[in-house]
Coordinates of all heavy atoms in Angstrom, one line a residue:
M1 N 4.6 -17.2 29.4 CA 4.4 -16.2 28.4 C 3.8 -16.9 27.1 O 4.5 -17.6 26.4 CB 5.7 -15.6 28.0 CG 6.2 -14.7 29.1 SD 5.3 -13.1 29.3 CE 6.2 -12.1 28.1
N2 N 2.6 -16.7 26.9 CA 1.9 -17.3 25.7 C 1.4 -16.2 24.8 O 0.3 -15.8 24.8 CB 0.8 -18.2 26.2 CG 0.5 -19.2 25.1 OD1 1.1 -19.3 24.1 ND2 -0.5 -20.1 25.4
K3 N 2.4 -15.7 23.9 CA 2.0 -14.6 23.0 C 1.2 -15.2 21.9 O 1.5 -16.3 21.4 CB 3.3 -14.0 22.5 CG 4.0 -13.1 23.4 CD 5.0 -12.2 22.7 CE 6.0 -11.6 23.6 NZ 7.2 -11.2 23.0
P4 N 0.2 -14.4 21.4 CA -0.5 -14.9 20.2 C 0.4 -14.9 19.0 O 1.1 -14.0 18.7 CB -1.6 -13.9 20.1 CG -1.2 -12.6 20.8 CD -0.2 -13.1 21.8
C5 N 0.3 -16.0 18.3 CA 1.1 -16.2 17.1 C 0.2 -16.2 15.9 O -0.9 -16.7 15.9 CB 1.9 -17.5 17.1 SG 3.3 -17.3 18.2
R6 N 0.7 -15.7 14.8 CA 0.0 -15.7 13.5 C 1.0 -16.2 12.4 O 2.2 -16.1 12.5 CB -0.4 -14.3 13.2 CG -1.5 -13.7 14.1 CD -2.8 -14.4 14.0 NE -3.8 -13.8 14.9 CZ -4.0 -14.1 16.1 NH1 -3.3 -15.1 16.7 NH2 -5.0 -13.6 16.8
M7 N 0.4 -16.7 11.4 CA 1.2 -17.2 10.3 C 1.4 -16.2 9.2 O 0.5 -15.5 8.8 CB 0.4 -18.4 9.7 CG 1.3 -19.3 8.8 SD 0.5 -20.7 8.2 CE -0.8 -20.1 7.2
C8 N 2.7 -16.1 8.8 CA 3.0 -15.2 7.7 C 2.5 -15.8 6.4 O 2.6 -17.0 6.2 CB 4.5 -15.1 7.6 SG 5.1 -14.3 6.1
M9 N 1.8 -15.0 5.6 CA 1.2 -15.5 4.4 C 2.2 -15.9 3.3 O 1.9 -16.6 2.3 CB 0.2 -14.5 3.8 CG 0.8 -13.2 3.3 SD -0.5 -12.2 2.6 CE -0.3 -10.7 3.6
V10 N 3.5 -15.5 3.5 CA 4.5 -15.8 2.4 C 5.3 -17.0 2.8 O 5.3 -18.0 2.1 CB 5.4 -14.6 2.2 CG1 6.5 -15.0 1.2 CG2 4.6 -13.4 1.6
C11 N 5.9 -17.0 4.0 CA 6.8 -18.1 4.4 C 6.0 -19.2 5.2 O 6.5 -20.2 5.4 CB 8.0 -17.6 5.1 SG 7.6 -16.9 6.7
R12 N 4.8 -18.8 5.6 CA 4.0 -19.8 6.4 C 4.5 -20.1 7.7 O 4.1 -21.1 8.3 CB 3.7 -21.1 5.6 CG 3.2 -20.8 4.2 CD 1.7 -21.2 4.2 NE 1.0 -20.5 3.1 CZ -0.3 -20.3 3.2 NH1 -1.0 -20.8 4.2 NH2 -0.9 -19.7 2.3
E13 N 5.5 -19.3 8.2 CA 6.0 -19.6 9.6 C 5.1 -18.9 10.6 O 4.5 -17.8 10.3 CB 7.4 -19.0 9.7 CG 8.4 -20.0 9.4 CD 9.8 -19.4 9.6 OE1 10.1 -18.9 10.7 OE2 10.6 -19.4 8.6
R14 N 4.9 -19.4 11.7 CA 4.2 -18.8 12.8 C 5.1 -18.0 13.7 O 6.1 -18.4 14.1 CB 3.4 -19.9 13.6 CG 2.4 -20.6 12.8 CD 1.6 -21.6 13.6 NE 0.8 -21.0 14.6 CZ -0.4 -20.5 14.4 NH1 -1.0 -20.7 13.2 NH2 -1.2 -19.9 15.3
K15 N 4.7 -16.7 13.9 CA 5.5 -15.8 14.7 C 4.6 -15.0 15.6 O 3.4 -14.8 15.3 CB 6.2 -14.9 13.7 CG 7.1 -15.6 12.7 CD 8.1 -14.6 12.1 CE 9.1 -15.5 11.3 NZ 10.1 -14.6 10.7
P16 N 5.2 -14.4 16.6 CA 4.5 -13.5 17.5 C 4.0 -12.3 16.7 O 4.6 -11.9 15.7 CB 5.5 -13.0 18.5 CG 6.6 -13.9 18.4 CD 6.6 -14.6 17.1
K17 N 2.8 -11.8 17.0 CA 2.2 -10.7 16.2 C 3.1 -9.5 16.1 O 3.0 -8.8 15.1 CB 0.9 -10.3 16.9 CG -0.3 -11.1 16.5 CD -1.5 -10.8 17.4 CE -2.5 -10.0 16.7 NZ -3.7 -9.8 17.5
N18 N 3.9 -9.2 17.1 CA 4.7 -8.0 17.0 C 5.9 -8.1 15.9 O 6.5 -7.2 15.6 CB 5.3 -7.5 18.3 CG 6.1 -8.6 19.0 OD1 6.3 -9.7 18.5 ND2 6.7 -8.3 20.1
E19 N 6.1 -9.3 15.4 CA 7.1 -9.5 14.3 C 6.4 -9.5 13.0 O 7.1 -9.8 12.0 CB 7.9 -10.8 14.6 CG 8.8 -10.7 15.8 CD 9.5 -12.0 16.1 OE1 9.7 -12.8 15.1 OE2 9.8 -12.2 17.2
L20 N 5.1 -9.2 12.9 CA 4.4 -9.3 11.7 C 3.7 -8.0 11.4 O 3.4 -7.2 12.3 CB 3.4 -10.5 11.8 CG 3.9 -11.9 12.0 CD1 2.8 -12.8 12.5 CD2 4.5 -12.4 10.7
V21 N 3.4 -7.8 10.2 CA 2.5 -6.7 9.8 C 1.2 -7.2 9.3 O 1.1 -8.2 8.6 CB 3.2 -5.9 8.6 CG1 2.3 -4.8 8.1 CG2 4.5 -5.3 9.0
R22 N 0.1 -6.6 9.8 CA -1.2 -7.1 9.4 C -1.7 -6.4 8.1 O -1.6 -5.1 8.0 CB -2.2 -6.8 10.5 CG -3.5 -7.4 10.3 CD -4.4 -7.4 11.6 NE -5.6 -8.1 11.4 CZ -6.8 -7.6 11.4 NH1 -6.9 -6.3 11.5 NH2 -7.9 -8.3 11.1
V23 N -2.2 -7.1 7.2 CA -2.8 -6.6 6.0 C -4.3 -7.0 6.1 O -4.6 -8.1 6.5 CB -2.2 -7.3 4.8 CG1 -2.9 -6.7 3.5 CG2 -0.7 -7.0 4.7
V24 N -5.2 -6.0 5.9 CA -6.6 -6.3 6.1 C -7.4 -5.9 4.9 O -7.1 -5.0 4.2 CB -7.1 -5.6 7.4 CG1 -7.2 -4.1 7.1 CG2 -8.4 -6.2 7.9
K25 N -8.4 -6.7 4.6 CA -9.4 -6.4 3.6 C -10.7 -5.9 4.2 O -11.3 -6.6 5.0 CB -9.6 -7.6 2.7 CG -10.6 -7.4 1.6 CD -10.7 -8.7 0.8 CE -11.9 -8.7 -0.1 NZ -12.0 -9.9 -0.9
N26 N -11.0 -4.7 4.0 CA -12.2 -4.1 4.7 C -13.5 -4.5 3.9 O -13.5 -5.2 2.9 CB -12.1 -2.6 4.9 CG -12.1 -1.8 3.6 OD1 -12.6 -2.3 2.6 ND2 -11.6 -0.6 3.6
K27 N -14.6 -4.0 4.5 CA -15.9 -4.4 4.0 C -16.1 -4.0 2.5 O -16.9 -4.6 1.8 CB -17.0 -3.8 4.9 CG -17.3 -4.6 6.1 CD -18.4 -4.0 6.9 CE -18.5 -4.7 8.3 NZ -18.9 -3.7 9.3
S28 N -15.5 -2.9 2.1 CA -15.7 -2.5 0.7 C -14.6 -3.1 -0.2 O -14.5 -2.8 -1.3 CB -15.6 -0.9 0.6 OG -14.7 -0.4 1.6
G29 N -13.9 -4.1 0.4 CA -13.0 -4.9 -0.5 C -11.6 -4.3 -0.7 O -10.9 -4.7 -1.5
E30 N -11.3 -3.2 0.0 CA -10.0 -2.6 -0.1 C -9.0 -3.3 0.7 O -9.3 -3.6 1.9 CB -10.1 -1.1 0.3 CG -10.8 -0.2 -0.7 CD -11.1 1.1 -0.2 OE1 -10.6 1.5 0.9 OE2 -12.0 1.8 -0.8
I31 N -7.8 -3.5 0.2 CA -6.8 -4.2 0.9 C -5.7 -3.1 1.3 O -5.2 -2.4 0.5 CB -6.2 -5.3 0.1 CG1 -7.2 -6.3 -0.2 CG2 -5.0 -5.9 0.8 CD1 -6.8 -7.4 -1.2
N32 N -5.4 -3.1 2.6 CA -4.5 -2.1 3.1 C -3.7 -2.7 4.3 O -4.1 -3.6 4.9 CB -5.3 -1.0 3.7 CG -5.2 0.3 2.8 OD1 -4.2 0.7 2.4 ND2 -6.4 0.8 2.5
I33 N -2.5 -2.0 4.6 CA -1.8 -2.3 5.8 C -2.7 -1.8 7.0 O -3.2 -0.7 6.9 CB -0.5 -1.5 5.8 CG1 0.4 -2.0 4.7 CG2 0.2 -1.7 7.2 CD1 1.2 -3.2 4.9
D34 N -2.8 -2.6 8.0 CA -3.5 -2.2 9.2 C -2.5 -1.8 10.2 O -1.9 -2.6 10.9 CB -4.3 -3.4 9.6 CG -5.0 -3.2 11.0 OD1 -5.1 -2.0 11.4 OD2 -5.4 -4.1 11.6
E35 N -2.4 -0.5 10.3 CA -1.4 0.1 11.2 C -1.8 -0.1 12.7 O -0.9 -0.2 13.5 CB -1.1 1.6 10.9 CG -1.2 1.9 9.4 CD 0.1 2.5 8.9 OE1 1.1 2.5 9.7 OE2 0.1 3.0 7.8
S36 N -3.1 0.0 12.9 CA -3.5 -0.2 14.3 C -3.5 -1.6 14.8 O -3.5 -1.9 16.0 CB -4.9 0.4 14.4 OG -5.8 -0.4 13.8
G37 N -3.6 -2.5 13.9 CA -3.7 -3.9 14.3 C -5.1 -4.3 14.7 O -5.3 -5.4 15.1
K38 N -6.0 -3.4 14.6 CA -7.4 -3.6 15.1 C -8.5 -3.4 14.0 O -9.6 -3.4 14.4 CB -7.6 -2.7 16.3 CG -6.8 -3.1 17.5 CD -7.1 -2.1 18.6 CE -6.1 -2.2 19.7 NZ -5.3 -1.0 19.9
A39 N -8.1 -3.1 12.8 CA -9.0 -2.8 11.8 C -10.0 -4.0 11.6 O -9.6 -5.2 11.7 CB -8.4 -2.4 10.5
E40 N -11.2 -3.7 11.2 CA -12.2 -4.8 11.0 C -12.0 -5.3 9.6 O -11.5 -4.6 8.7 CB -13.6 -4.2 11.1 CG -14.2 -4.4 12.4 CD -15.6 -3.9 12.4 OE1 -16.4 -4.5 11.6 OE2 -15.9 -3.0 13.2
G41 N -12.3 -6.6 9.5 CA -12.2 -7.2 8.2 C -11.3 -8.4 8.2 O -10.8 -8.8 9.3
R42 N -11.1 -9.1 7.1 CA -10.3 -10.3 7.0 C -8.9 -9.9 7.0 O -8.4 -9.1 6.1 CB -10.7 -11.0 5.8 CG -10.2 -12.4 5.7 CD -10.6 -13.1 4.4 NE -9.5 -14.0 4.0 CZ -9.5 -15.2 4.5 NH1 -10.3 -15.6 5.4 NH2 -8.5 -16.1 4.1
G43 N -8.1 -10.4 7.9 CA -6.7 -10.0 8.0 C -5.7 -11.1 7.6 O -6.1 -12.3 7.7
A44 N -4.6 -10.8 7.2 CA -3.5 -11.7 7.0 C -2.2 -11.0 7.4 O -2.1 -9.8 7.6 CB -3.4 -12.1 5.5
Y45 N -1.2 -11.9 7.6 CA 0.0 -11.3 8.2 C 1.2 -11.6 7.3 O 1.3 -12.6 6.6 CB 0.3 -12.0 9.6 CG -0.8 -11.5 10.6 CD1 -2.0 -12.2 10.6 CD2 -0.6 -10.5 11.4 CE1 -3.0 -11.8 11.5 CE2 -1.6 -10.1 12.3 CZ -2.8 -10.8 12.4 OH -3.8 -10.4 13.2
I46 N 2.2 -10.7 7.5 CA 3.5 -10.9 6.7 C 4.6 -10.4 7.6 O 4.5 -9.5 8.4 CB 3.4 -10.1 5.4 CG1 4.7 -10.3 4.6 CG2 3.2 -8.6 5.6 CD1 4.6 -9.9 3.1
C47 N 5.8 -11.1 7.5 CA 6.9 -10.8 8.4 C 7.4 -9.4 8.1 O 7.5 -8.9 7.0 CB 8.1 -11.7 8.0 SG 7.8 -13.4 8.3
K48 N 7.7 -8.7 9.2 CA 8.3 -7.4 9.1 C 9.7 -7.4 8.7 O 10.2 -6.6 7.9 CB 8.3 -6.7 10.5 CG 7.2 -5.8 10.9 CD 7.4 -5.2 12.2 CE 6.0 -4.8 12.8 NZ 6.2 -4.4 14.2
E49 N 10.5 -8.4 9.2 CA 11.9 -8.5 8.9 C 12.0 -9.6 7.8 O 11.2 -10.4 7.6 CB 12.7 -8.9 10.1 CG 12.5 -8.1 11.3 CD 13.1 -6.7 11.1 OE1 14.1 -6.5 10.3 OE2 12.6 -5.7 11.8
G50 N 13.2 -9.6 7.1 CA 13.5 -10.6 6.2 C 12.9 -10.2 4.8 O 12.6 -9.0 4.6
D51 N 12.8 -11.2 3.9 CA 12.5 -10.8 2.5 C 11.1 -11.3 2.1 O 10.8 -11.3 0.9 CB 13.6 -11.4 1.6 CG 13.8 -12.9 1.8 OD1 13.1 -13.4 2.6 OD2 14.7 -13.4 1.1
C52 N 10.3 -11.6 3.1 CA 8.9 -12.0 2.7 C 8.2 -11.0 1.9 O 7.5 -11.3 0.9 CB 8.1 -12.3 4.0 SG 8.6 -13.9 4.7
Y53 N 8.3 -9.7 2.3 CA 7.6 -8.7 1.5 C 8.1 -8.5 0.1 O 7.4 -8.1 -0.8 CB 7.4 -7.4 2.3 CG 8.7 -6.6 2.5 CD1 9.2 -5.8 1.5 CD2 9.4 -6.7 3.7 CE1 10.4 -5.0 1.7 CE2 10.6 -6.0 3.9 CZ 11.0 -5.2 2.9 OH 12.2 -4.5 3.1
T54 N 9.4 -8.9 -0.1 CA 9.9 -8.8 -1.5 C 9.3 -9.9 -2.3 O 9.3 -9.9 -3.6 CB 11.4 -8.8 -1.6 OG1 11.9 -10.0 -1.1 CG2 12.0 -7.6 -0.8
K55 N 8.9 -11.0 -1.7 CA 8.4 -12.1 -2.4 C 6.9 -12.1 -2.6 O 6.3 -12.9 -3.2 CB 8.7 -13.4 -1.6 CG 10.1 -13.8 -1.6 CD 10.3 -15.1 -0.8 CE 11.8 -15.4 -0.6 NZ 12.0 -16.2 0.6
I56 N 6.3 -11.0 -2.0 CA 4.8 -11.0 -2.0 C 4.2 -10.9 -3.4 O 3.2 -11.5 -3.7 CB 4.3 -9.9 -1.0 CG1 2.8 -10.2 -0.7 CG2 4.5 -8.5 -1.6 CD1 2.3 -9.3 0.4
I57 N 5.0 -10.2 -4.3 CA 4.5 -10.0 -5.6 C 4.7 -11.3 -6.4 O 3.8 -11.8 -7.1 CB 5.2 -8.8 -6.3 CG1 4.7 -7.5 -5.7 CG2 4.9 -8.9 -7.8 CD1 5.2 -6.3 -6.4
K58 N 5.9 -11.9 -6.3 CA 6.2 -13.1 -7.0 C 5.3 -14.2 -6.6 O 4.9 -15.0 -7.5 CB 7.7 -13.5 -6.8 CG 8.4 -14.0 -8.0 CD 9.6 -14.8 -7.7 CE 10.7 -13.9 -7.0 NZ 11.9 -14.6 -6.7
T59 N 5.0 -14.4 -5.4 CA 4.2 -15.5 -4.9 C 2.7 -15.2 -5.0 O 1.9 -16.1 -4.8 CB 4.5 -15.8 -3.4 OG1 4.2 -14.7 -2.6 CG2 5.9 -16.2 -3.2
K60 N 2.4 -13.9 -5.3 CA 0.9 -13.5 -5.3 C 0.2 -13.9 -4.1 O -0.9 -14.4 -4.1 CB 0.2 -14.1 -6.6 CG 0.7 -13.5 -7.9 CD -0.3 -13.8 -9.0 CE -0.1 -12.9 -10.2 NZ 1.2 -13.2 -10.9
A61 N 0.9 -13.7 -3.0 CA 0.3 -14.2 -1.7 C -1.0 -13.6 -1.4 O -1.9 -14.2 -0.8 CB 1.3 -13.9 -0.6
L62 N -1.2 -12.3 -1.8 CA -2.5 -11.7 -1.5 C -3.7 -12.3 -2.3 O -4.8 -12.5 -1.8 CB -2.5 -10.2 -1.8 CG -1.6 -9.3 -0.9 CD1 -1.6 -7.9 -1.4 CD2 -2.0 -9.4 0.5
N63 N -3.4 -12.7 -3.5 CA -4.4 -13.4 -4.3 C -4.9 -14.7 -3.6 O -6.1 -14.9 -3.6 CB -3.9 -13.8 -5.7 CG -3.5 -12.5 -6.5 OD1 -3.1 -11.5 -6.0 ND2 -3.7 -12.6 -7.8
K64 N -3.9 -15.4 -3.1 CA -4.3 -16.7 -2.4 C -5.0 -16.4 -1.2 O -6.0 -17.1 -0.8 CB -3.0 -17.5 -2.2 CG -2.4 -18.1 -3.4 CD -1.1 -18.9 -3.0 CE -0.2 -19.0 -4.3 NZ 1.2 -19.1 -3.9
T65 N -4.5 -15.4 -0.4 CA -5.1 -15.2 0.9 C -6.5 -14.7 0.8 O -7.4 -15.1 1.6 CB -4.2 -14.1 1.6 OG1 -2.9 -14.7 1.7 CG2 -4.8 -13.9 3.0
F66 N -6.7 -13.8 -0.1 CA -8.1 -13.1 -0.2 C -8.9 -13.7 -1.3 O -10.0 -13.2 -1.6 CB -7.9 -11.6 -0.4 CG -7.3 -11.0 0.8 CD1 -6.0 -10.4 0.7 CD2 -7.9 -11.0 2.1 CE1 -5.4 -9.8 1.9 CE2 -7.3 -10.4 3.2 CZ -6.1 -9.8 3.1
H67 N -8.4 -14.8 -2.0 CA -9.2 -15.5 -3.0 C -9.7 -14.5 -4.1 O -10.9 -14.5 -4.4 CB -10.3 -16.3 -2.4 CG -9.8 -17.2 -1.4 ND1 -9.1 -18.3 -1.7 CD2 -9.9 -17.2 0.0 CE1 -8.8 -19.0 -0.5 NE2 -9.3 -18.3 0.5
E68 N -8.9 -13.7 -4.6 CA -9.3 -12.8 -5.7 C -8.0 -12.3 -6.4 O -6.9 -12.5 -6.0 CB -10.1 -11.6 -5.2 CG -9.2 -10.7 -4.3 CD -9.9 -9.4 -3.9 OE1 -11.0 -9.5 -3.3 OE2 -9.4 -8.3 -4.1
N69 N -8.3 -11.7 -7.6 CA -7.2 -11.2 -8.4 C -6.8 -9.8 -7.9 O -7.5 -8.8 -8.2 CB -7.6 -11.1 -9.8 CG -6.6 -11.7 -10.7 OD1 -5.4 -11.8 -10.3 ND2 -7.0 -12.1 -11.9
V70 N -5.8 -9.7 -7.0 CA -5.5 -8.5 -6.4 C -4.7 -7.6 -7.4 O -3.7 -8.1 -8.0 CB -4.7 -8.7 -5.1 CG1 -4.3 -7.4 -4.5 CG2 -5.6 -9.5 -4.1
S71 N -5.1 -6.4 -7.5 CA -4.4 -5.5 -8.5 C -3.0 -5.2 -8.1 O -2.6 -5.1 -6.9 CB -5.2 -4.2 -8.5 OG -4.3 -3.1 -8.8
P72 N -2.1 -5.2 -9.1 CA -0.7 -4.9 -8.9 C -0.5 -3.5 -8.1 O 0.5 -3.4 -7.4 CB -0.1 -4.7 -10.3 CG -1.0 -5.5 -11.2 CD -2.4 -5.4 -10.6
L73 N -1.5 -2.6 -8.3 CA -1.4 -1.4 -7.5 C -1.5 -1.6 -6.1 O -0.9 -0.9 -5.3 CB -2.5 -0.4 -8.0 CG -2.4 0.1 -9.4 CD1 -3.6 0.9 -9.8 CD2 -1.1 1.0 -9.5
V74 N -2.3 -2.6 -5.7 CA -2.4 -2.9 -4.2 C -1.1 -3.4 -3.7 O -0.6 -3.0 -2.6 CB -3.6 -3.9 -4.0 CG1 -3.6 -4.3 -2.6 CG2 -4.9 -3.2 -4.4
Y75 N -0.5 -4.3 -4.5 CA 0.8 -4.8 -4.1 C 1.8 -3.7 -3.9 O 2.6 -3.7 -3.0 CB 1.3 -5.8 -5.1 CG 0.7 -7.2 -5.0 CD1 -0.4 -7.6 -5.8 CD2 1.2 -8.1 -4.1 CE1 -0.9 -8.8 -5.7 CE2 0.7 -9.4 -4.0 CZ -0.4 -9.7 -4.8 OH -0.9 -11.0 -4.6
E76 N 1.8 -2.8 -4.9 CA 2.8 -1.7 -4.8 C 2.6 -0.8 -3.6 O 3.5 -0.4 -2.9 CB 2.6 -0.8 -6.1 CG 3.5 -1.3 -7.2 CD 3.3 -0.5 -8.5 OE1 3.0 0.7 -8.4 OE2 3.3 -1.2 -9.6
K77 N 1.3 -0.6 -3.3 CA 1.0 0.3 -2.1 C 1.5 -0.4 -0.9 O 2.0 0.3 0.0 CB -0.6 0.4 -2.1 CG -1.1 1.3 -1.1 CD -2.6 1.6 -1.2 CE -3.4 0.3 -0.9 NZ -4.8 0.4 -1.1
I78 N 1.3 -1.7 -0.8 CA 1.7 -2.4 0.4 C 3.2 -2.5 0.5 O 3.8 -2.2 1.6 CB 1.0 -3.8 0.5 CG1 -0.4 -3.6 0.9 CG2 1.7 -4.8 1.4 CD1 -1.3 -4.8 0.7
L79 N 3.9 -2.8 -0.6 CA 5.3 -2.8 -0.6 C 5.9 -1.5 -0.2 O 6.9 -1.4 0.5 CB 5.8 -3.1 -2.0 CG 6.1 -4.6 -2.3 CD1 6.5 -4.7 -3.8 CD2 7.2 -5.1 -1.4
D80 N 5.3 -0.4 -0.7 CA 5.7 0.9 -0.4 C 5.7 1.2 1.1 O 6.6 1.7 1.7 CB 4.6 1.9 -1.0 CG 5.3 3.0 -1.7 OD1 6.2 2.7 -2.5 OD2 5.0 4.2 -1.4
K81 N 4.6 0.8 1.8 CA 4.5 1.0 3.2 C 5.5 0.1 3.9 O 6.1 0.5 5.0 CB 3.1 0.7 3.7 CG 2.1 1.7 3.2 CD 0.9 1.8 4.1 CE 0.0 2.8 3.6 NZ -1.3 2.9 4.4
L82 N 5.7 -1.1 3.5 CA 6.6 -2.1 4.2 C 8.0 -1.6 4.0 O 8.9 -1.9 4.9 CB 6.4 -3.5 3.6 CG 5.1 -4.2 4.0 CD1 5.0 -5.5 3.2 CD2 5.0 -4.4 5.5
N83 N 8.3 -1.0 3.0 CA 9.7 -0.5 2.7 C 10.2 0.7 3.5 O 11.3 1.0 3.4 CB 9.8 -0.2 1.2 CG 10.4 -1.4 0.4 OD1 11.3 -2.0 0.9 ND2 10.0 -1.6 -0.8
K84 N 9.2 1.3 4.2 CA 9.6 2.5 4.9 C 10.7 2.3 5.9 O 10.7 1.3 6.6 CB 8.3 3.0 5.7 CG 7.5 4.0 4.8 CD 6.6 4.8 5.7 CE 5.5 4.0 6.3 NZ 4.3 4.7 6.7
Ligands
LIG1 ZN1 7.4 -14.6 6.4

């Protein structure tokens, strides 16, 4: 069993994809949760469980991942979805 692993952008641990949520930046530069896991664009991953998503704002993980100043509104939108 060789499941594909991806690295969480907050804790930097490698985990199977089903334990992570994909965040994707599309061609028009919008950053969103990728619910399908197949959206086009540059993707990054964050743990579903644990407190990684509560740290995403403090660590500004999206800014580092996407090399830009990500708006606090984008962080809120993502936190909102992760908190469901
Ligand atoms: Zn993590």
Side-chain angles (χ1 to χ4, degrees):
M1 291 287 273
N2 204 358
K3 284 192 196 160
C5 285
R6 295 290 182 272
M7 191 175 68
C8 167
M9 66 176 122
V10 177
C11 65
R12 306 251 154 204
E13 267 182 56
R14 293 181 70 84
K15 301 196 171 183
K17 275 171 105 174
N18 60 356
E19 291 175 27
L20 299 160
V21 174
R22 186 168 186 249
V23 179
V24 74
K25 180 173 162 182
N26 69 18
K27 277 182 193 145
S28 33
E30 288 166 14
I31 297 170
N32 254 309
I33 298 277
D34 172 17
E35 321 238 12
S36 69
K38 295 181 191 112
E40 265 184 59
R42 191 182 149 80
Y45 294 82
I46 182 168
C47 300
K48 265 185 205 168
E49 307 289 336
D51 54 2
C52 282
Y53 66 84
T54 63
K55 290 182 189 156
I56 195 171
I57 290 183
K58 216 195 303 183
T59 60
K60 292 197 163 70
L62 292 176
N63 296 31
K64 285 177 206 156
T65 302
F66 296 114
H67 305 288
E68 64 173 55
N69 227 339
V70 177
S71 152
L73 290 174
V74 172
Y75 280 96
E76 272 174 36
K77 186 173 67 182
I78 284 168
L79 266 177
D80 224 53
K81 290 204 178 176
L82 290 173
N83 261 324
K84 270 200 292 207

